[in-house]
Amino acid sequence: MPVYSMTGYASASAGGATNPETGVVGSRASVELRSVNGRFLDLSLRLPEELRGLEPALRELVSGAVKRGKVELRLTTGREGDGGWPRPTPEQLSLLSRLESTVQGWLSKAAPLSVHEVLQWCRTGGSSEQPDEAVLEAARAAVEGLREAREREGARLVAILMERVQRLRELAAQAEPLVPQVVQRQQQRFLERWREALQTAGAGASVSAEAQAERALTEAAAYAIRIDVAEELSRLKAHLDEIERLLEKGGELGKRLDFLIQELHREANTLGSKSAALELTAVSVEMKVAIEQMREQVQNIE
């Protein structure tokens, strides 16, 4: 399944066909859809008052394709975009004259059409196409376009996240051999300090060389336990495996990824707090930078 971003834009138009018999241009509808990230689906519609009755159908259409994000739908019709009055064609006027004669033949008291009424009819009348049909057709096309745009953006986000996952794996691999090296260096320091202490105490000291070495090794072992980050690195790798699995599976995974990013932050922070060497501190900082970059991208995933 594809991964969808919550950011996208699409527009579509429908209607506006000319009736070949009457020369009347049918109703035209244009739909714009914009979406940005959000915790839940927040849908707002901007519709002309005469088309408010289509709001439930439009909401159902959008919510069936979009699960999360702040989405704005803007609908405009041909009436709103007309800059002036139309120029009636002879065919339109001929048809209207016949219709008027038919009505007056049956209703002798019917008033003749005014110029304004004729122009209004030429602008909106004579079309077999219903405005609602044009609106829904344009909305369906716009929704499909929005899904495609969000899918393209989602693919880009997946590529970025996969790159950061690989970077974190590299950093974890760098951190693993650093702990034994730090422990070994600290062990040498303990031995040196014990030797210095014995020399200061003088020849009367009762501590043997064997006891000195054993005490130093005990201190080094306790120190190794305090700075051991094997468990943190193991959990970090497990979280990275899960993130990679989710990205390959696709679907609606934004909330799960957000939770895993929090867990990655936890492990990186613990690694930094246990750091006893400049090298481990640098690795922890690099991890936090990569994780923060992932968090920013995950915020846009549906």
Side-chain angles (χ1 to χ4, degrees), residues 224-239:
I225 293 174
R226 289 198 304 272
I227 69 168
D228 183 28
V229 293
E231 185 177 350
E232 285 76 13
L233 291 176
S234 177
R235 287 197 295 264
L236 187 140
K237 292 177 182 178
H239 297 328

Side-chain angles (χ1 to χ4, degrees), residues 132-207:
D132 292 4
E133 296 175 3
V135 169
L136 294 177
E137 181 182 349
R140 283 190 287 267
V143 167
E144 183 61 28
L146 182 65
R147 282 181 59 85
E148 292 174 358
R150 287 164 63 114
E151 182 178 348
R152 288 193 300 270
E153 179 67 13
R156 189 183 69 83
L157 295 178
V158 169
I160 294 175
L161 290 172
M162 285 295 194
E163 180 182 341
R164 298 298 183 272
V165 166
Q166 182 59 34
R167 177 57 179 160
L168 286 171
R169 292 190 188 279
E170 293 172 357
L171 291 171
Q174 292 177 20
E176 281 181 332
L178 292 178
V179 175
Q181 295 174 12
V182 172
V183 172
Q184 186 177 8
R185 288 200 302 267
Q186 194 65 25
Q187 180 180 339
Q188 294 299 322
R189 290 173 186 167
F190 285 144
L191 288 171
E192 292 172 1
R193 290 175 182 175
W194 276 103
R195 292 192 187 99
E196 292 173 359
L198 288 175
Q199 291 174 1
T200 302
S206 59
V207 180

Side-chain angles (χ1 to χ4, degrees), residues 244-280:
E244 201 166 11
R245 186 190 70 82
L246 289 174
L247 292 175
E248 292 174 352
K249 179 182 177 182
E252 300 171 27
L253 44 84
K255 292 182 178 179
R256 283 178 287 179
L257 287 177
D258 189 54
F259 170 76
L260 289 170
I261 294 299
Q262 295 178 22
E263 294 301 306
L264 288 178
H265 264 297
R266 189 193 310 275
E267 306 306 335
N269 285 331
T270 305
L271 179 65
S273 65
K274 287 187 174 182
S275 175
L278 185 61
E279 299 93 328
L280 276 173

